[in-house]
């Protein structure tokens, strides 16, 4: 039998740098309450959201991704030419094909890396980090750019009381590369397809085209069942992730859950019995829910504001449509 | 078997922990929404905690019928028996 070369990689992988991009339009609750017959107070009480960022037409998926990636590369001290794979997590790139990753690769001046998009909704970024870690350790790549990017404002029904105030836009990126010590712990991930309908695009594109006045198939969500699943089932996944990593909740410095809703973040922290000293990401108050972009956006802010520092131990947990989830413990770059 | 008062007391502790409502205010005739200001998301948290505490299952369809503390206590009593 012919012997094949093994694809030997680095023993360990870590996040080497992080960057983010916040779109320029700041939309306070006051601007959206009229269409949903609501109030600033109601929105803050239900979600903790005071304002969100929405992109201008010029702030495209590609532009936001490139800006975030350049910052991540600079933070990592890595040249664009060293990137040999780009993984983009998004649900709001409006082309079914090609993947936006190739356009981002070109704009960044990388040297023809593997470039593809993944679809795991709000859990996409943590899926991407898990893939990148395995790619570096498996020898498929040496430096992987993982990008979470969304323009959910394009998919938001501004008249829907349940979702209009939640969704937002932005991009975050990390560089995953080889390391002397483990900087990305084992992923705990999975899905619950029985609840496929809880968060989704309203209808199939083919059905949209059958309508007399075709309209964007906006995102729809059943809030209370999602809240229950996210707050309680995900707290169990968080614990399972700590167990697989071989650490205790007391060993965490930073908790960076997907920024879905402040009430979910608070309920998870309570269920997990998170010690008071662990810093919790609360970027949602000023950024809104940016799906795949929310974790890198939130961590980047915590680093900038001194709530997270290089070498800290952070728990990422992301969850959303599918329902799909992924979590891992990482060392803050 | 827990008495009505024991269930009410335990439920009051849960409502206090979830929504910050003083436990003494959680009386049988009080409405979760109108009197205690427990909104629908907090109600989800109360239900999950109650399921765990009392070893019962409270289906989503049933939650909207639990308007007062007394409704919830009766439901739990019946579910336990």
């Amino acid at each position: 039998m012919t012997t094949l070369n093994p694809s030997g990689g680095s023993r360990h992988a870590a996040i080497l740098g992080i960057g983010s991009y916040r779109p320029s339009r700041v939309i306070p609750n006051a601007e959206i309450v009229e269409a949903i017959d609501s109030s600033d107070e109601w929105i803050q009480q239900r979600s903790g959201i005071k304002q969100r960022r929405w992109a201008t037409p010029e702030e495209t998926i590609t532009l936001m991704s490139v800006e975030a990636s350049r910052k991540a590369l600079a933070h990592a001290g890595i040249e664009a030419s060293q990137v040999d794979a780009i993984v983009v997590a998004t649900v709001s790139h409006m082309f079914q094909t090609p993947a936006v990753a190739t356009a981002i690769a070109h704009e960044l001046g990388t040297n023809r890396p593997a470039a593809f998009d993944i679809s795991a909704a709000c859990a996409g970024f943590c899926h991407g980090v898990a893939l990148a870690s395995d790619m570096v350790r498996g020898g498929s790549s040496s430096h992987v750019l993982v990008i979470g990017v969304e323009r959910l404002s394009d998919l938001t029904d501004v008249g829907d009381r349940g979702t209009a105030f939640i969704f937002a836009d932005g991009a975050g990126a990390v560089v995953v590369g080889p390391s002397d010590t483990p900087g990305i712990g084992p992923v705990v991930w999975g899905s619950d397809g029985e609840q496929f309908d809880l968060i989704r695009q309203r209808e199939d594109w083919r059905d949209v085209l059958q309508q007399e006045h075709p309209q964007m198939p906006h995102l729809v969500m059943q809030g209370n069942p999602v809240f229950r699943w996210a707050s309680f089932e995900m707290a169990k996944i968080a614990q399972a992730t700590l167990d697989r990593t071989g650490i205790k909740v007391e060993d965490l410095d930073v908790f960076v859950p997907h920024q879905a809703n402040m009430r979910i973040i608070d309920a998870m922290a309570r269920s997990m019995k998170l010690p008071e000293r662990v810093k919790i990401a609360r970027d949602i108050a000023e950024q809104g829910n940016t799906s795949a972009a929310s974790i890198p956006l939130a961590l980047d802010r915590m680093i900038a504001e001194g709530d997270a520092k290089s070498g800290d131990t952070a728990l990422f947990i992301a969850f959303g449509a599918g329902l799909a989830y992924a979590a891992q413990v990482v060392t803050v770059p | 078997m827990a008495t009505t008062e024991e269930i009410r007391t335990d439920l009051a502790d849960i409502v206090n922990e979830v929504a910050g409502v003083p436990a003494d205010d959680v009386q049988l005739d009080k409405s979760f929404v109108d009197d205690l200001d427990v909104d629908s998301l907090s109600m989800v948290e109360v239900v999950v905690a109650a399921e765990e505490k009392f070893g019962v299952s409270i289906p989503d369809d049933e939650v909207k019928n639990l308007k007062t503390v007394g409704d919830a206590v009766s439901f739990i009593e019946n579910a336990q028996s």
Side-chain angles (χ1 to χ4, degrees), chain A residues 32-280:
Chain A
I32 58 166
V33 292
E34 201 172 319
I36 54 174
D37 185 25
S38 186
S39 69
D40 177 35
E41 188 194 359
W42 189 90
I43 292 172
Q44 289 204 41
Q45 198 211 354
R46 290 310 172 103
S47 68
I49 298 172
K50 297 180 178 137
Q51 60 174 51
R52 74 281 298 131
R53 297 279 189 135
W54 283 356
T56 62
E58 293 74 32
E59 290 172 315
T60 61
I61 291 280
T62 304
L63 180 139
M64 294 193 289
S65 298
V66 168
E67 293 293 323
S69 298
R70 287 200 174 120
K71 290 177 194 161
L73 288 167
H75 186 210
I78 297 292
E79 297 296 326
S81 59
Q82 291 174 263
V83 171
D84 53 6
I86 299 183
V87 179
V88 179
T90 186
V91 296
S92 45
H93 168 55
M94 291 300 172
F95 286 79
Q96 217 96 48
T97 195
V100 73
T102 60
I104 295 166
H106 177 67
E107 287 282 320
L108 278 172
T110 50
N111 185 23
R112 299 169 184 267
F116 55 94
D117 298 355
I118 58 172
S119 177
C122 298
F125 178 75
C126 289
H127 279 70
V129 169
L131 289 178
S133 173
D134 289 354
M135 286 157 71
V136 168
R137 294 188 307 123
S140 310
S141 305
S142 68
H143 291 89
V144 185
L145 199 51
V146 179
I147 301 166
V149 57
E150 302 291 2
R151 280 178 58 104
L152 294 183
S153 59
D154 292 335
L155 293 168
T156 299
D157 178 354
V158 294
D160 176 8
R161 288 199 96 205
T163 59
F165 60 93
I166 295 175
F167 298 131
D169 306 342
V174 294
V175 179
V176 173
S179 168
D180 293 333
T181 52
I184 301 173
V187 68
V188 172
W189 55 1
S191 63
D192 181 3
E194 197 184 342
Q195 308 200 72
F196 180 85
D197 268 354
L198 288 192
I199 314 167
R200 60 180 166 83
Q201 178 175 318
R202 197 180 54 228
E203 65 249 304
D204 183 311
W205 284 108
R206 290 166 301 186
D207 295 335
V208 170
L209 295 173
Q210 301 298 316
Q211 296 166 356
E212 197 175 340
H213 304 289
Q215 283 199 344
M216 178 71 83
H218 294 120
L219 295 173
V220 291
M221 176 169 75
Q222 295 180 43
N224 285 1
V226 170
F227 177 79
R228 179 177 182 145
W229 176 77
S231 302
F232 298 98
E233 295 308 310
M234 289 304 99
K236 294 175 198 161
I237 297 301
Q239 186 56 52
T241 307
L242 297 176
D243 293 344
R244 272 210 73 190
T245 310
I247 68 171
K248 299 207 176 315
V249 72
E250 292 79 20
D251 297 323
L252 288 176
D253 300 303
V254 184
F255 177 47
V256 194
H258 164 49
Q259 303 288 291
N261 181 322
M262 196 73 87
R263 298 282 293 274
I264 292 175
I265 295 170
D266 289 336
M268 280 179 82
R270 265 203 300 276
S271 312
M272 288 168 62
K273 306 203 182 343
L274 209 61
E276 198 110 326
R277 55 165 282 277
V278 177
K279 295 283 200 304
I280 302 175

